[in-house]
Structure formats: structure tokens, C-alpha cells
Amino acid sequence: MTHRSRQNAADRLDRLLDRERAALLEGDLTAIAGFADTKESLVAALGADPETARGSLPALQRKMARNQSLLEAAAQGIRKVADRLSAVESVRTSLQTYDRTGRRTRFDGKRGSEVEKRA
């Protein structure tokens, strides 16, 4: 790989990291997933000879660290939403109460559409 193609890889990675940041801020998870392979190949191209793109590396490292923080925050947000949805589903399908001794009792409310018939 020539010096010019390595610098081109650094420029392409720089632009890709900016697009990744924009997608993270917009919550576009589909776009984010699509960046992974390209980012990996560009990093590998730079890693073959880091001296060539030496001037670009500090800025690229900062952008990668920034995006990593955003990715971690997005993952944490997704986990919190999943936990909240699980809690809402639990409340919808069951009831938990405590007796006077503090023991918890759970009543499942998911019985379907049963109708009691009395003669």
C-alpha cells in the first residue's frame, strides 16, 4: 500500500467516523451496524504502516474514543428500555402484594379470555 493510499484510508476513516457520530446522535442503529466492516478494514489498512498516517492518528483516536463513548451510551439506553419494557409487561400480567408479615405474594393475571358460566 502506498503512502497516498494509506493517507486516503485515513481520510476515509475520518469521514466515516463523522458519519458514525451523526448516526449515533440520530439513533440510526441500522447505519451504525453498516459502518463496522468498513471501519475495520480502514483501521487494518492504517495499521499496516502507522508511520505513514502518523499525523492523522491522534485526531482519529480522539474521534474513535468519542464514538465509543456514544456507542456505550446507546447500548446502555437500549438495555434500560428493555428492562423498562420487561417491568411494564410484568405489571400488566401479574400483581404482587405483601402480607402483614412482609412476605411477597404474586398473582398471575394472564388467564386469557375465560368466562365463568353459572347456571
Side-chain angles (χ1 to χ4, degrees):
M1 183 176 272
T2 66
H3 171 77
R4 183 179 172 98
S5 61
R6 280 191 204 88
Q7 190 56 47
N8 185 33
D11 292 340
R12 287 179 55 210
L13 181 59
D14 185 62
R15 288 190 303 272
L16 180 70
L17 291 171
D18 288 339
R19 288 186 9 232
E20 182 182 54
R21 178 179 185 271
L24 283 163
L25 293 175
E26 292 172 9
D28 187 353
L29 300 179
T30 304
I32 295 164
F35 295 143
D37 290 337
T38 306
K39 187 166 55 169
E40 186 176 326
S41 66
L42 290 170
V43 168
L46 290 175
D49 184 13
E51 289 298 317
T52 304
R54 186 180 206 165
S56 305
L57 291 179
L60 291 172
Q61 288 173 333
R62 281 190 303 276
K63 285 185 176 188
M64 291 180 96
R66 173 198 66 195
N67 288 5
Q68 183 63 36
S69 294
L70 291 171
L71 280 166
E72 289 168 2
Q76 182 180 7
I78 290 168
R79 282 190 298 275
K80 287 188 179 214
V81 166
D83 291 346
R84 182 65 182 141
L85 288 174
S86 177
V88 167
E89 179 64 19
S90 177
V91 168
R92 191 177 72 76
T93 60
S94 67
L95 171 68
Q96 292 185 23
T97 63
Y98 296 89
D99 65 16
R100 64 184 121 159
T101 64
R103 280 192 329 231
R104 183 172 54 176
T105 304
R106 180 180 173 155
F107 299 98
D108 285 328
K110 202 173 195 177
R111 289 188 176 178
S113 57
E114 294 177 11
V115 176
E116 184 178 331
K117 295 182 182 179
R118 293 186 180 199

